[in-house]
Amino acid sequence: MTSASASDIEAILRGSHANPFAVLGPHDGEVRVFAPQASAVAVLHDGQRTPLERVHPEGFFAGPFEGHQYQLEMSSGERTWAAEDPYRFGLVLGEMDEYLIAEGRHRQLYEKLGAHPITHEGVKGVAFAVWAPNARRVSVVGDFNAWDGRRHPMRRRLGPGLWELFIPGLTVGELYKYEIISAHGERMPLKADPVGFAHEQSPGTASVISGLPDHPWGDRDWMETRAARQDRTAPISIYEVHLGSWRRGAEGGILDYEAIADLLVPYVTDMGFTHVEFLPVSEHPFTGSWGYQPIGLFAPTSRYGSAEAFARLVDRLHAAGIGVIIDWVPAHFPTDAHGLGRFDGTALYEHADPRQGFHQDWNTLIYNFGRREVANFLQASALYWLDRFHIDALRVDAVASMLYLDYSRKPGEWIPNQFGGNENLEAIDFLRNVNCRVCADYPGAITIAEESTAFPKVSRPVDDGGLGFGFKWNMGWMHDTLGYFRRDPIHRRHHQNDLTFGLVYAWSEDFVLPLSHDEVVHGKGSLIRQMAGDRWQKFANLRAYFAFMWTHPGKKLLFMGGEFAQDREWNHDQSLDWHLLDDPLHAGMQALVRDLNRLYRDRPALHRLDCDPGGFEWIDASDADQSVLVYLRKSDNGAPPAVIVCNLTPQVHHGYRIGLPQPGGWREILNTDDAAYGGSGVGNPGPLSADNIPWHGRQASLALTLPPLAVVVLVPA
């Protein structure tokens, strides 16, 4: 018999015991084992075999044994095997880990929670740890225990509500989930690991034991120069990429990280972009969400291979001098049953009140940023990508939805803050803390906000009252300018303000000018299809738009396919239409973007003061009747200035005089109407000499031929 009580045994058999370590394993001179898969169990120690008594027919065994060092021999029919007893092992998590997690201050949370292959007390296995403070019982389940939640219930750690268990003998590649019984006895849907480092692909929903990635990085040179490459004075030109549809393999198959690297690294290098930005790579169950409804905030999606393969992709981009930005999504999470929603039977990660915890627009849940453990979880996710994958920047999605309690809500559908306002004070504190942590712990790394309102000081330091982001997407500039280029040129004289208004607030933040994936989906059509006019004019307009963007203050972002005028709207299930490059107009657009990147990178006047009013002057913005704009870009390091002239009508203007910042020789270094780009070839070849004729308030001037629907860039000869 056994000294364990009948009620304890019954609770173990039913999988409802809240403290299995108080019953199972070595206790008071006996060993107790629950093994419903075995018909007989014995203890092995120093060559001795001690059979255990089958105390209960459902598989509860017990027998005398002194000590903690032993193995188990199990039998079922004619099969016999040796096994370690998980309930003879001591604690894995330390007291300091427990304390920091309870305080919400554990920066390397991912080193403790999740599933970690380790050697514990001399035995190899996997240590599991999960936060579920309101659960009555948590078990690890998988193929290794026939998904039977009774067989591996976890040890509860008092304090922060952690559960842990070391399961000897498990290895990388095993599927697992957590089976949770709520405080009210409800058996929850099996849950994926919130800090899982790999997950199954849909329709599978399990986590996969993989451990932390440990790539042997070879990017020291990049990391040492990263801060300068991402400074507000540096040229930053971002190529936004959806990994599953940039290119496809034979018969439309998805490429893996290795194949993508083979193609993407040389392409981005040739095109002259300084950075790539990947749409969310965090694991997500629904491909059609493009990653913006993630389940695995610590797992690169396995659609394209392993976490190690993703690390190699980043390393190869760094070796080519290309920075890597990923979209990070702390604004919301999906309601999938295996995800974070009601994780332990309560609104643990989200708010319980749907007025605070549910996004009506996206049918997703909103994190409770005011709960320190949740904020710690999200912050640890941000730091994880910088730490383990050397990511250079996090573009934070949907920041506006985080900042405002009434975001996309009608009166009565939201709860004011403690002062009666609509600001989400807890989310604001969270964002500031994350941005401060990124700056302090990972020098040179930055964050970028997708924020669509006029919330003040998004990209200003926290100690100046700001949110602490490095840059902010300029959604207003995108909306106004794209609207302008959609208009028939005959109407543009009435809308010149759409191009000039952005300069009124251009230095209120440190901006990125985005032509992102959001502008080529949901029926909007591709960029080229949004341009006004016939086919030739559409291409001319888009070339002019790109040149206006690349010469306008602000860093640049272009979604893949835009660089060669992808004709159809983006479809995440198909490759870009690379065959279009056989058409000279599409090839010309690609050549222009390549040259714009080179020009932007090589000319300090076009990037040094992107975020400073000293880098821009209007020469003339008043000629709305002819839709002509003339402006000056300057540097702060003695580099020569650049003059940009935009003619946004189909008419050629001959002898059009512009004021210049200095007399002497000038030359045209870029003309979007060049025949090499698919234009008509109108321009100003050869050396140009400024006249001593005052114009536009300047002492020197020059009469130019302005090509149709085109932008020209002039520099001193």
Side-chain angles (χ1 to χ4, degrees), residues 242-249 251-254 286-290 303-304 521 559-560 568-577:
H242 177 256
L243 286 165
S245 60
W246 178 68
R247 282 186 187 266
R248 292 276 179 123
E251 301 180 357
I254 292 177
F286 177 44
T287 299
S289 77
W290 316 329
R303 286 168 174 81
Y304 318 116
V521 291
F559 183 57
M560 64 182 198
R568 62 173 171 81
E569 186 172 279
W570 173 53
N571 183 339
H572 67 270
D573 282 329
Q574 297 179 22
S575 172
L576 296 179
D577 293 331

PDB file of all heavy atoms in Angstrom, residues 242-249 251-254 286-290 303-304 521 559-560 568-577:
ATOM      1  N   HIS A 242       6.954  41.106 -48.378  1.00  0.00           N
ATOM      2  CA  HIS A 242       6.200  39.976 -47.843  1.00  0.00           C
ATOM      3  C   HIS A 242       6.899  38.718 -48.321  1.00  0.00           C
ATOM      4  O   HIS A 242       6.961  38.443 -49.522  1.00  0.00           O
ATOM      5  CB  HIS A 242       4.751  40.011 -48.331  1.00  0.00           C
ATOM      6  CG  HIS A 242       3.942  38.838 -47.883  1.00  0.00           C
ATOM      7  ND1 HIS A 242       3.610  37.795 -48.726  1.00  0.00           N
ATOM      8  CD2 HIS A 242       3.411  38.525 -46.667  1.00  0.00           C
ATOM      9  CE1 HIS A 242       2.901  36.903 -48.064  1.00  0.00           C
ATOM     10  NE2 HIS A 242       2.767  37.320 -46.813  1.00  0.00           N
ATOM     11  N   LEU A 243       7.446  37.958 -47.384  1.00  0.00           N
ATOM     12  CA  LEU A 243       8.326  36.847 -47.743  1.00  0.00           C
ATOM     13  C   LEU A 243       7.635  35.789 -48.597  1.00  0.00           C
ATOM     14  O   LEU A 243       8.271  35.149 -49.440  1.00  0.00           O
ATOM     15  CB  LEU A 243       8.879  36.198 -46.475  1.00  0.00           C
ATOM     16  CG  LEU A 243       9.960  36.994 -45.747  1.00  0.00           C
ATOM     17  CD1 LEU A 243      10.174  36.466 -44.342  1.00  0.00           C
ATOM     18  CD2 LEU A 243      11.265  36.969 -46.524  1.00  0.00           C
ATOM     19  N   GLY A 244       6.338  35.609 -48.414  1.00  0.00           N
ATOM     20  CA  GLY A 244       5.651  34.535 -49.124  1.00  0.00           C
ATOM     21  C   GLY A 244       5.264  34.856 -50.545  1.00  0.00           C
ATOM     22  O   GLY A 244       4.854  33.950 -51.291  1.00  0.00           O
ATOM     23  N   SER A 245       5.376  36.126 -50.941  1.00  0.00           N
ATOM     24  CA  SER A 245       4.917  36.477 -52.285  1.00  0.00           C
ATOM     25  C   SER A 245       5.894  37.356 -53.059  1.00  0.00           C
ATOM     26  O   SER A 245       5.568  37.782 -54.168  1.00  0.00           O
ATOM     27  CB  SER A 245       3.554  37.185 -52.201  1.00  0.00           C
ATOM     28  OG  SER A 245       3.637  38.367 -51.429  1.00  0.00           O
ATOM     29  N   TRP A 246       7.056  37.647 -52.493  1.00  0.00           N
ATOM     30  CA  TRP A 246       8.038  38.424 -53.257  1.00  0.00           C
ATOM     31  C   TRP A 246       8.424  37.655 -54.520  1.00  0.00           C
ATOM     32  O   TRP A 246       8.330  38.157 -55.634  1.00  0.00           O
ATOM     33  CB  TRP A 246       9.264  38.721 -52.391  1.00  0.00           C
ATOM     34  CG  TRP A 246      10.327  39.476 -53.135  1.00  0.00           C
ATOM     35  CD1 TRP A 246      10.247  40.763 -53.576  1.00  0.00           C
ATOM     36  CD2 TRP A 246      11.610  38.985 -53.528  1.00  0.00           C
ATOM     37  NE1 TRP A 246      11.405  41.111 -54.234  1.00  0.00           N
ATOM     38  CE2 TRP A 246      12.259  40.037 -54.212  1.00  0.00           C
ATOM     39  CE3 TRP A 246      12.273  37.774 -53.370  1.00  0.00           C
ATOM     40  CZ2 TRP A 246      13.543  39.905 -54.737  1.00  0.00           C
ATOM     41  CZ3 TRP A 246      13.546  37.646 -53.884  1.00  0.00           C
ATOM     42  CH2 TRP A 246      14.172  38.691 -54.563  1.00  0.00           C
ATOM     43  N   ARG A 247       8.857  36.437 -54.319  1.00  0.00           N
ATOM     44  CA  ARG A 247       9.086  35.518 -55.429  1.00  0.00           C
ATOM     45  C   ARG A 247       8.569  34.145 -55.021  1.00  0.00           C
ATOM     46  O   ARG A 247       8.562  33.797 -53.843  1.00  0.00           O
ATOM     47  CB  ARG A 247      10.569  35.404 -55.798  1.00  0.00           C
ATOM     48  CG  ARG A 247      11.110  36.563 -56.621  1.00  0.00           C
ATOM     49  CD  ARG A 247      12.536  36.261 -57.048  1.00  0.00           C
ATOM     50  NE  ARG A 247      13.188  37.371 -57.699  1.00  0.00           N
ATOM     51  CZ  ARG A 247      13.221  37.558 -59.020  1.00  0.00           C
ATOM     52  NH1 ARG A 247      12.615  36.696 -59.815  1.00  0.00           N
ATOM     53  NH2 ARG A 247      13.857  38.591 -59.541  1.00  0.00           N
ATOM     54  N   ARG A 248       8.159  33.379 -55.991  1.00  0.00           N
ATOM     55  CA  ARG A 248       7.750  31.997 -55.760  1.00  0.00           C
ATOM     56  C   ARG A 248       8.646  31.079 -56.582  1.00  0.00           C
ATOM     57  O   ARG A 248       9.280  31.506 -57.557  1.00  0.00           O
ATOM     58  CB  ARG A 248       6.288  31.787 -56.161  1.00  0.00           C
ATOM     59  CG  ARG A 248       5.275  32.515 -55.260  1.00  0.00           C
ATOM     60  CD  ARG A 248       4.965  31.699 -54.029  1.00  0.00           C
ATOM     61  NE  ARG A 248       4.029  32.357 -53.124  1.00  0.00           N
ATOM     62  CZ  ARG A 248       2.883  31.827 -52.724  1.00  0.00           C
ATOM     63  NH1 ARG A 248       2.506  30.635 -53.150  1.00  0.00           N
ATOM     64  NH2 ARG A 248       2.112  32.459 -51.860  1.00  0.00           N
ATOM     65  N   GLY A 249       8.658  29.823 -56.194  1.00  0.00           N
ATOM     66  CA  GLY A 249       9.459  28.840 -56.902  1.00  0.00           C
ATOM     67  C   GLY A 249       8.694  28.216 -58.050  1.00  0.00           C
ATOM     68  O   GLY A 249       7.685  28.753 -58.538  1.00  0.00           O
ATOM     69  N   GLU A 251       6.256  26.245 -60.217  1.00  0.00           N
ATOM     70  CA  GLU A 251       4.823  25.960 -60.083  1.00  0.00           C
ATOM     71  C   GLU A 251       4.205  26.701 -58.899  1.00  0.00           C
ATOM     72  O   GLU A 251       3.253  26.223 -58.275  1.00  0.00           O
ATOM     73  CB  GLU A 251       4.584  24.452 -59.967  1.00  0.00           C
ATOM     74  CG  GLU A 251       5.100  23.660 -61.172  1.00  0.00           C
ATOM     75  CD  GLU A 251       4.857  22.167 -61.023  1.00  0.00           C
ATOM     76  OE1 GLU A 251       4.339  21.754 -59.955  1.00  0.00           O
ATOM     77  OE2 GLU A 251       5.175  21.440 -61.968  1.00  0.00           O
ATOM     78  N   GLY A 252       4.747  27.858 -58.577  1.00  0.00           N
ATOM     79  CA  GLY A 252       4.160  28.698 -57.540  1.00  0.00           C
ATOM     80  C   GLY A 252       4.479  28.305 -56.125  1.00  0.00           C
ATOM     81  O   GLY A 252       3.854  28.812 -55.183  1.00  0.00           O
ATOM     82  N   GLY A 253       5.437  27.399 -55.930  1.00  0.00           N
ATOM     83  CA  GLY A 253       5.779  26.968 -54.577  1.00  0.00           C
ATOM     84  C   GLY A 253       6.443  28.066 -53.768  1.00  0.00           C
ATOM     85  O   GLY A 253       7.156  28.920 -54.305  1.00  0.00           O
ATOM     86  N   ILE A 254       6.224  28.032 -52.452  1.00  0.00           N
ATOM     87  CA  ILE A 254       6.815  29.028 -51.555  1.00  0.00           C
ATOM     88  C   ILE A 254       8.300  28.735 -51.383  1.00  0.00           C
ATOM     89  O   ILE A 254       8.702  27.592 -51.171  1.00  0.00           O
ATOM     90  CB  ILE A 254       6.099  29.013 -50.198  1.00  0.00           C
ATOM     91  CG1 ILE A 254       4.665  29.526 -50.369  1.00  0.00           C
ATOM     92  CG2 ILE A 254       6.835  29.864 -49.180  1.00  0.00           C
ATOM     93  CD1 ILE A 254       3.852  29.474 -49.092  1.00  0.00           C
ATOM     94  N   PHE A 286      -3.243  32.369 -39.594  1.00  0.00           N
ATOM     95  CA  PHE A 286      -3.980  32.690 -40.808  1.00  0.00           C
ATOM     96  C   PHE A 286      -3.080  33.431 -41.784  1.00  0.00           C
ATOM     97  O   PHE A 286      -2.705  34.583 -41.549  1.00  0.00           O
ATOM     98  CB  PHE A 286      -5.212  33.534 -40.461  1.00  0.00           C
ATOM     99  CG  PHE A 286      -6.022  33.978 -41.644  1.00  0.00           C
ATOM    100  CD1 PHE A 286      -6.329  33.099 -42.680  1.00  0.00           C
ATOM    101  CD2 PHE A 286      -6.489  35.287 -41.727  1.00  0.00           C
ATOM    102  CE1 PHE A 286      -7.070  33.510 -43.775  1.00  0.00           C
ATOM    103  CE2 PHE A 286      -7.247  35.706 -42.806  1.00  0.00           C
ATOM    104  CZ  PHE A 286      -7.539  34.816 -43.841  1.00  0.00           C
ATOM    105  N   THR A 287      -2.730  32.778 -42.877  1.00  0.00           N
ATOM    106  CA  THR A 287      -1.827  33.381 -43.864  1.00  0.00           C
ATOM    107  C   THR A 287      -2.396  34.685 -44.399  1.00  0.00           C
ATOM    108  O   THR A 287      -1.653  35.637 -44.664  1.00  0.00           O
ATOM    109  CB  THR A 287      -1.574  32.395 -45.011  1.00  0.00           C
ATOM    110  OG1 THR A 287      -0.952  31.216 -44.487  1.00  0.00           O
ATOM    111  CG2 THR A 287      -0.671  32.999 -46.074  1.00  0.00           C
ATOM    112  N   GLY A 288      -3.711  34.741 -44.546  1.00  0.00           N
ATOM    113  CA  GLY A 288      -4.343  35.932 -45.091  1.00  0.00           C
ATOM    114  C   GLY A 288      -4.263  37.153 -44.206  1.00  0.00           C
ATOM    115  O   GLY A 288      -4.630  38.256 -44.632  1.00  0.00           O
ATOM    116  N   SER A 289      -3.785  37.001 -42.965  1.00  0.00           N
ATOM    117  CA  SER A 289      -3.570  38.173 -42.105  1.00  0.00           C
ATOM    118  C   SER A 289      -2.225  38.826 -42.383  1.00  0.00           C
ATOM    119  O   SER A 289      -1.933  39.878 -41.805  1.00  0.00           O
ATOM    120  CB  SER A 289      -3.648  37.782 -40.626  1.00  0.00           C
ATOM    121  OG  SER A 289      -2.455  37.124 -40.196  1.00  0.00           O
ATOM    122  N   TRP A 290      -1.413  38.196 -43.263  1.00  0.00           N
ATOM    123  CA  TRP A 290      -0.068  38.682 -43.624  1.00  0.00           C
ATOM    124  C   TRP A 290       0.858  38.763 -42.416  1.00  0.00           C
ATOM    125  O   TRP A 290       1.908  39.408 -42.465  1.00  0.00           O
ATOM    126  CB  TRP A 290      -0.124  40.061 -44.311  1.00  0.00           C
ATOM    127  CG  TRP A 290      -1.182  40.199 -45.350  1.00  0.00           C
ATOM    128  CD1 TRP A 290      -1.673  39.212 -46.170  1.00  0.00           C
ATOM    129  CD2 TRP A 290      -1.904  41.386 -45.690  1.00  0.00           C
ATOM    130  NE1 TRP A 290      -2.648  39.722 -46.998  1.00  0.00           N
ATOM    131  CE2 TRP A 290      -2.815  41.047 -46.724  1.00  0.00           C
ATOM    132  CE3 TRP A 290      -1.863  42.708 -45.228  1.00  0.00           C
ATOM    133  CZ2 TRP A 290      -3.676  41.970 -47.296  1.00  0.00           C
ATOM    134  CZ3 TRP A 290      -2.725  43.631 -45.798  1.00  0.00           C
ATOM    135  CH2 TRP A 290      -3.617  43.261 -46.817  1.00  0.00           C
ATOM    136  N   ARG A 303       6.765  28.745 -41.992  1.00  0.00           N
ATOM    137  CA  ARG A 303       6.370  28.624 -43.391  1.00  0.00           C
ATOM    138  C   ARG A 303       7.583  28.567 -44.307  1.00  0.00           C
ATOM    139  O   ARG A 303       7.540  27.961 -45.372  1.00  0.00           O
ATOM    140  CB  ARG A 303       5.503  29.819 -43.802  1.00  0.00           C
ATOM    141  CG  ARG A 303       4.087  29.801 -43.265  1.00  0.00           C
ATOM    142  CD  ARG A 303       3.416  31.146 -43.489  1.00  0.00           C
ATOM    143  NE  ARG A 303       2.012  31.139 -43.121  1.00  0.00           N
ATOM    144  CZ  ARG A 303       1.562  31.274 -41.879  1.00  0.00           C
ATOM    145  NH1 ARG A 303       2.421  31.404 -40.878  1.00  0.00           N
ATOM    146  NH2 ARG A 303       0.261  31.269 -41.633  1.00  0.00           N
ATOM    147  N   TYR A 304       8.655  29.254 -43.901  1.00  0.00           N
ATOM    148  CA  TYR A 304       9.823  29.377 -44.764  1.00  0.00           C
ATOM    149  C   TYR A 304      11.060  28.703 -44.185  1.00  0.00           C
ATOM    150  O   TYR A 304      12.164  28.905 -44.692  1.00  0.00           O
ATOM    151  CB  TYR A 304      10.124  30.864 -45.024  1.00  0.00           C
ATOM    152  CG  TYR A 304       8.895  31.684 -45.274  1.00  0.00           C
ATOM    153  CD1 TYR A 304       8.520  32.706 -44.403  1.00  0.00           C
ATOM    154  CD2 TYR A 304       8.070  31.425 -46.363  1.00  0.00           C
ATOM    155  CE1 TYR A 304       7.375  33.463 -44.621  1.00  0.00           C
ATOM    156  CE2 TYR A 304       6.917  32.172 -46.584  1.00  0.00           C
ATOM    157  CZ  TYR A 304       6.577  33.182 -45.704  1.00  0.00           C
ATOM    158  OH  TYR A 304       5.431  33.922 -45.923  1.00  0.00           O
ATOM    159  N   VAL A 521      -3.768  47.229 -51.795  1.00  0.00           N
ATOM    160  CA  VAL A 521      -4.655  46.110 -51.454  1.00  0.00           C
ATOM    161  C   VAL A 521      -6.082  46.628 -51.274  1.00  0.00           C
ATOM    162  O   VAL A 521      -6.335  47.833 -51.318  1.00  0.00           O
ATOM    163  CB  VAL A 521      -4.195  45.395 -50.160  1.00  0.00           C
ATOM    164  CG1 VAL A 521      -2.901  44.647 -50.373  1.00  0.00           C
ATOM    165  CG2 VAL A 521      -4.048  46.393 -49.008  1.00  0.00           C
ATOM    166  N   PHE A 559       6.878  49.508 -51.025  1.00  0.00           N
ATOM    167  CA  PHE A 559       6.491  48.101 -51.004  1.00  0.00           C
ATOM    168  C   PHE A 559       6.946  47.417 -52.283  1.00  0.00           C
ATOM    169  O   PHE A 559       6.915  47.990 -53.371  1.00  0.00           O
ATOM    170  CB  PHE A 559       4.975  47.979 -50.858  1.00  0.00           C
ATOM    171  CG  PHE A 559       4.480  46.563 -50.744  1.00  0.00           C
ATOM    172  CD1 PHE A 559       4.944  45.722 -49.741  1.00  0.00           C
ATOM    173  CD2 PHE A 559       3.548  46.066 -51.639  1.00  0.00           C
ATOM    174  CE1 PHE A 559       4.487  44.420 -49.621  1.00  0.00           C
ATOM    175  CE2 PHE A 559       3.081  44.760 -51.526  1.00  0.00           C
ATOM    176  CZ  PHE A 559       3.553  43.938 -50.522  1.00  0.00           C
ATOM    177  N   MET A 560       7.346  46.173 -52.135  1.00  0.00           N
ATOM    178  CA  MET A 560       7.855  45.378 -53.246  1.00  0.00           C
ATOM    179  C   MET A 560       6.885  45.401 -54.437  1.00  0.00           C
ATOM    180  O   MET A 560       5.666  45.387 -54.282  1.00  0.00           O
ATOM    181  CB  MET A 560       8.068  43.939 -52.778  1.00  0.00           C
ATOM    182  CG  MET A 560       6.787  43.246 -52.362  1.00  0.00           C
ATOM    183  SD  MET A 560       7.058  41.568 -51.754  1.00  0.00           S
ATOM    184  CE  MET A 560       5.397  40.898 -51.899  1.00  0.00           C
ATOM    185  N   ARG A 568      -0.916  44.628 -61.359  1.00  0.00           N
ATOM    186  CA  ARG A 568      -2.121  44.224 -60.631  1.00  0.00           C
ATOM    187  C   ARG A 568      -1.942  44.472 -59.140  1.00  0.00           C
ATOM    188  O   ARG A 568      -0.836  44.640 -58.638  1.00  0.00           O
ATOM    189  CB  ARG A 568      -2.439  42.745 -60.891  1.00  0.00           C
ATOM    190  CG  ARG A 568      -1.359  41.809 -60.423  1.00  0.00           C
ATOM    191  CD  ARG A 568      -1.734  40.340 -60.534  1.00  0.00           C
ATOM    192  NE  ARG A 568      -0.569  39.508 -60.277  1.00  0.00           N
ATOM    193  CZ  ARG A 568      -0.109  39.208 -59.068  1.00  0.00           C
ATOM    194  NH1 ARG A 568      -0.715  39.687 -57.996  1.00  0.00           N
ATOM    195  NH2 ARG A 568       0.959  38.445 -58.914  1.00  0.00           N
ATOM    196  N   GLU A 569      -3.080  44.492 -58.450  1.00  0.00           N
ATOM    197  CA  GLU A 569      -3.056  44.643 -57.004  1.00  0.00           C
ATOM    198  C   GLU A 569      -2.321  43.468 -56.374  1.00  0.00           C
ATOM    199  O   GLU A 569      -2.381  42.342 -56.868  1.00  0.00           O
ATOM    200  CB  GLU A 569      -4.493  44.710 -56.495  1.00  0.00           C
ATOM    201  CG  GLU A 569      -4.634  45.016 -55.026  1.00  0.00           C
ATOM    202  CD  GLU A 569      -6.085  45.260 -54.623  1.00  0.00           C
ATOM    203  OE1 GLU A 569      -6.570  46.388 -54.837  1.00  0.00           O
ATOM    204  OE2 GLU A 569      -6.729  44.322 -54.125  1.00  0.00           O
ATOM    205  N   TRP A 570      -1.650  43.752 -55.262  1.00  0.00           N
ATOM    206  CA  TRP A 570      -0.876  42.706 -54.592  1.00  0.00           C
ATOM    207  C   TRP A 570      -1.789  41.597 -54.082  1.00  0.00           C
ATOM    208  O   TRP A 570      -2.851  41.834 -53.517  1.00  0.00           O
ATOM    209  CB  TRP A 570      -0.096  43.307 -53.417  1.00  0.00           C
ATOM    210  CG  TRP A 570       0.579  42.272 -52.576  1.00  0.00           C
ATOM    211  CD1 TRP A 570       1.425  41.293 -52.993  1.00  0.00           C
ATOM    212  CD2 TRP A 570       0.452  42.094 -51.150  1.00  0.00           C
ATOM    213  NE1 TRP A 570       1.841  40.524 -51.933  1.00  0.00           N
ATOM    214  CE2 TRP A 570       1.260  40.994 -50.795  1.00  0.00           C
ATOM    215  CE3 TRP A 570      -0.264  42.771 -50.156  1.00  0.00           C
ATOM    216  CZ2 TRP A 570       1.367  40.552 -49.475  1.00  0.00           C
ATOM    217  CZ3 TRP A 570      -0.157  42.334 -48.845  1.00  0.00           C
ATOM    218  CH2 TRP A 570       0.651  41.237 -48.512  1.00  0.00           C
ATOM    219  N   ASN A 571      -1.345  40.357 -54.300  1.00  0.00           N
ATOM    220  CA  ASN A 571      -2.023  39.164 -53.806  1.00  0.00           C
ATOM    221  C   ASN A 571      -1.004  38.346 -53.031  1.00  0.00           C
ATOM    222  O   ASN A 571       0.005  37.899 -53.595  1.00  0.00           O
ATOM    223  CB  ASN A 571      -2.584  38.353 -54.979  1.00  0.00           C
ATOM    224  CG  ASN A 571      -3.360  37.127 -54.532  1.00  0.00           C
ATOM    225  OD1 ASN A 571      -3.195  36.628 -53.415  1.00  0.00           O
ATOM    226  ND2 ASN A 571      -4.209  36.615 -55.407  1.00  0.00           N
ATOM    227  N   HIS A 572      -1.264  38.130 -51.743  1.00  0.00           N
ATOM    228  CA  HIS A 572      -0.280  37.444 -50.893  1.00  0.00           C
ATOM    229  C   HIS A 572      -0.076  35.991 -51.283  1.00  0.00           C
ATOM    230  O   HIS A 572       0.882  35.356 -50.835  1.00  0.00           O
ATOM    231  CB  HIS A 572      -0.705  37.530 -49.428  1.00  0.00           C
ATOM    232  CG  HIS A 572      -1.948  36.755 -49.107  1.00  0.00           C
ATOM    233  ND1 HIS A 572      -3.206  37.296 -49.191  1.00  0.00           N
ATOM    234  CD2 HIS A 572      -2.125  35.466 -48.705  1.00  0.00           C
ATOM    235  CE1 HIS A 572      -4.098  36.388 -48.858  1.00  0.00           C
ATOM    236  NE2 HIS A 572      -3.475  35.264 -48.557  1.00  0.00           N
ATOM    237  N   ASP A 573      -0.960  35.457 -52.107  1.00  0.00           N
ATOM    238  CA  ASP A 573      -0.847  34.053 -52.518  1.00  0.00           C
ATOM    239  C   ASP A 573      -0.138  33.880 -53.852  1.00  0.00           C
ATOM    240  O   ASP A 573      -0.049  32.749 -54.354  1.00  0.00           O
ATOM    241  CB  ASP A 573      -2.241  33.416 -52.612  1.00  0.00           C
ATOM    242  CG  ASP A 573      -2.802  33.038 -51.241  1.00  0.00           C
ATOM    243  OD1 ASP A 573      -1.998  32.707 -50.352  1.00  0.00           O
ATOM    244  OD2 ASP A 573      -4.036  33.092 -51.071  1.00  0.00           O
ATOM    245  N   GLN A 574       0.358  34.955 -54.440  1.00  0.00           N
ATOM    246  CA  GLN A 574       1.017  34.865 -55.740  1.00  0.00           C
ATOM    247  C   GLN A 574       2.333  35.635 -55.724  1.00  0.00           C
ATOM    248  O   GLN A 574       2.484  36.614 -54.992  1.00  0.00           O
ATOM    249  CB  GLN A 574       0.133  35.447 -56.847  1.00  0.00           C
ATOM    250  CG  GLN A 574      -1.175  34.718 -57.076  1.00  0.00           C
ATOM    251  CD  GLN A 574      -2.001  35.373 -58.165  1.00  0.00           C
ATOM    252  OE1 GLN A 574      -1.478  36.098 -59.004  1.00  0.00           O
ATOM    253  NE2 GLN A 574      -3.299  35.124 -58.159  1.00  0.00           N
ATOM    254  N   SER A 575       3.238  35.208 -56.565  1.00  0.00           N
ATOM    255  CA  SER A 575       4.494  35.934 -56.750  1.00  0.00           C
ATOM    256  C   SER A 575       4.234  37.267 -57.427  1.00  0.00           C
ATOM    257  O   SER A 575       3.229  37.452 -58.136  1.00  0.00           O
ATOM    258  CB  SER A 575       5.450  35.103 -57.615  1.00  0.00           C
ATOM    259  OG  SER A 575       6.593  35.863 -57.954  1.00  0.00           O
ATOM    260  N   LEU A 576       5.123  38.219 -57.203  1.00  0.00           N
ATOM    261  CA  LEU A 576       5.114  39.423 -58.027  1.00  0.00           C
ATOM    262  C   LEU A 576       5.289  39.029 -59.495  1.00  0.00           C
ATOM    263  O   LEU A 576       5.848  37.976 -59.815  1.00  0.00           O
ATOM    264  CB  LEU A 576       6.240  40.365 -57.607  1.00  0.00           C
ATOM    265  CG  LEU A 576       6.182  40.943 -56.194  1.00  0.00           C
ATOM    266  CD1 LEU A 576       7.403  41.835 -55.953  1.00  0.00           C
ATOM    267  CD2 LEU A 576       4.902  41.718 -55.947  1.00  0.00           C
ATOM    268  N   ASP A 577       4.851  39.891 -60.373  1.00  0.00           N
ATOM    269  CA  ASP A 577       4.884  39.606 -61.818  1.00  0.00           C
ATOM    270  C   ASP A 577       6.220  40.050 -62.416  1.00  0.00           C
ATOM    271  O   ASP A 577       6.313  41.053 -63.135  1.00  0.00           O
ATOM    272  CB  ASP A 577       3.719  40.303 -62.515  1.00  0.00           C
ATOM    273  CG  ASP A 577       2.377  39.734 -62.104  1.00  0.00           C
ATOM    274  OD1 ASP A 577       2.330  38.537 -61.753  1.00  0.00           O
ATOM    275  OD2 ASP A 577       1.384  40.476 -62.118  1.00  0.00           O
TER     276      ASP A 577
END
